[in-house]
């Protein structure tokens, strides 16, 4: 991972256009190729970014460009182009305060809290909750970008990737979307459809999931544990 703190301007062109005027910012270049631009505020979300697969090239400004550039003196330009869409992120560095690189190694992945881990185990043991004829392939099915909570097969033998959360939010849908995109490249699995399962699913997450063809399932923790008979309830 490369971390650069610099005074820079940023322009994004593609499906939309956006401009960040000259200001000090943190630039992050990750090992997977992604590039993120952060300010000292706004919580965790970057001001702009480019997701992989993309290509980063750098160039220094020539003397002719120096005399004609309305942005003033800049010392280096980054051109980040998305390999599929052609969207472009252009970063011009005017002053570099810090530039360092770090090898973070292989990340062990997110360790789920107790409730999520229990939900995963319970749903794996009761996979027929999702439908008659369903079967479990395995829990924690590993991909190049992390483990899918459950890989199952439906009654027709189709592959189903299931992501489980205690609270279903947009980030979880985005996570499952990335898994599905990768898994559908595997001819032994494809086509793979997705299920987003949680005890509570926020409306925005449900809308996003449905828009991407992902089914949503609300999990009843007590019913999966066998201590609550949902069919016998009055309400």
């Amino acid at each position: 991972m490369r971390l650069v703190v610099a005074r820079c301007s940023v322009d994004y062109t593609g499906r939309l256009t956006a401009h960040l005027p000259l200001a000090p910012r943190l630039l992050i270049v990750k090992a997977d190729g992604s590039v993120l631009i952060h300010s000292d505020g706004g919580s965790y979300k970057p001001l702009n970014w480019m997701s992989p697969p993309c290509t980063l090239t750098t160039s220094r400004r020539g003397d002719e460009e120096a005399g004609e550039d309305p942005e003033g003196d800049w010392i280096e330009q980054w051109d980040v182009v998305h390999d599929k869409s052609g969207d472009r992120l252009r970063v011009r560095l005017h002053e570099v305060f810090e530039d360092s690189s770090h090898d973070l190694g292989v990340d062990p992945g997110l360790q789920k809290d107790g409730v999520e881990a229990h939900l995963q185990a319970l749903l794996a043991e009761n996979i027929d909750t999702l439908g008659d004829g369903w079967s479990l392939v395995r829990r924690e099915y590993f991909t190049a970008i992390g483990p899918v909570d459950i890989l199952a097969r439906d009654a027709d033998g189709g592959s189903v990737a299931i992501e489980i959360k205690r609270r279903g939010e947009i980030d979880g849908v985005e996570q499952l979307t990335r898994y599905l995109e990768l898994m559908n490249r595997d001819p032994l699995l494809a086509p793979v459809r997705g299920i987003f399962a949680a005890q509570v699913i926020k409306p925005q997450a449900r809308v996003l999931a449905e828009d991407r063809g992902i089914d949503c399932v609300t999990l009843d923790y007590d019913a999966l544990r066998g201590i609550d008979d949902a069919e016998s309830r009055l309400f």
Side-chain angles (χ1 to χ4, degrees):
M1 177 181 291
R2 183 183 177 190
L3 304 175
V4 178
V5 179
R7 197 162 59 91
C8 64
S9 64
V10 183
D11 288 280
Y12 191 102
T13 55
R15 289 164 293 181
L16 54 84
T17 59
H19 174 69
L20 293 172
L22 191 62
R25 296 185 178 95
L26 168 64
L27 313 175
I28 301 176
V29 183
K30 293 187 176 182
D32 64 3
S34 55
V35 178
L36 304 96
I37 295 95
H38 284 270
S39 64
D40 196 7
S43 187
Y44 65 91
K45 189 174 182 180
L47 298 171
N48 216 324
W49 68 93
M50 185 70 77
S51 301
C54 58
T55 302
L56 167 64
T57 57
T58 62
S59 59
R60 309 287 290 190
R61 189 177 62 168
D63 292 337
E64 292 183 4
E65 293 175 298
E68 300 175 357
D69 197 326
E71 287 193 353
D73 295 334
W74 54 270
I75 56 177
E76 184 174 286
Q77 177 171 302
W78 295 5
D79 285 293
V80 190
V81 180
H82 196 274
D83 295 346
K84 293 182 178 179
S85 68
D87 286 12
R88 179 186 179 192
L89 187 70
R90 189 195 72 181
V91 184
R92 283 183 169 172
L93 310 182
H94 290 247
E95 185 178 4
V96 176
F97 305 112
E98 183 71 33
D99 188 346
S100 61
S101 296
H102 309 271
D103 184 0
L104 302 186
V106 179
D107 192 273
L110 180 67
Q111 301 297 315
K112 297 182 180 296
D113 65 28
V115 173
E116 286 187 13
H118 290 153
L119 281 171
Q120 184 190 116
L122 288 168
L123 186 58
E125 293 171 3
N126 300 277
I127 199 68
D128 55 356
T129 301
L130 300 176
D132 294 334
W134 282 55
S135 60
L136 174 70
V137 176
R138 66 167 295 167
R139 292 173 55 190
E140 299 288 339
Y141 181 85
F142 285 93
T143 74
I145 57 174
V148 177
D149 288 332
I150 291 178
L151 179 63
R153 294 200 181 277
D154 59 22
D156 297 323
S159 301
V160 185
I162 305 169
E163 182 64 25
I164 299 171
K165 300 293 183 186
R166 182 173 61 86
R167 292 178 58 85
E169 302 187 23
I170 285 178
D171 286 352
V173 178
E174 295 284 7
Q175 182 181 0
L176 179 54
T177 299
R178 293 191 294 270
Y179 289 145
L180 290 171
E181 182 180 353
L182 186 64
M183 296 171 75
N184 272 300
R185 298 177 193 171
D186 186 341
L188 298 178
L189 293 176
V192 185
R193 63 186 180 97
I195 288 181
F196 187 53
Q199 287 181 288
V200 177
I201 300 177
K202 288 193 172 182
Q204 299 94 328
R206 188 179 294 275
V207 169
L208 180 61
E210 291 173 354
D211 181 68
R212 296 183 176 181
I214 296 171
D215 294 327
C216 291
V217 173
T218 302
L219 298 176
D220 188 321
Y221 185 66
D222 288 338
L224 286 172
R225 293 172 62 198
I227 63 175
D228 180 31
D229 185 359
E231 295 181 357
S232 299
R233 296 181 193 164
L234 295 177
F235 51 87

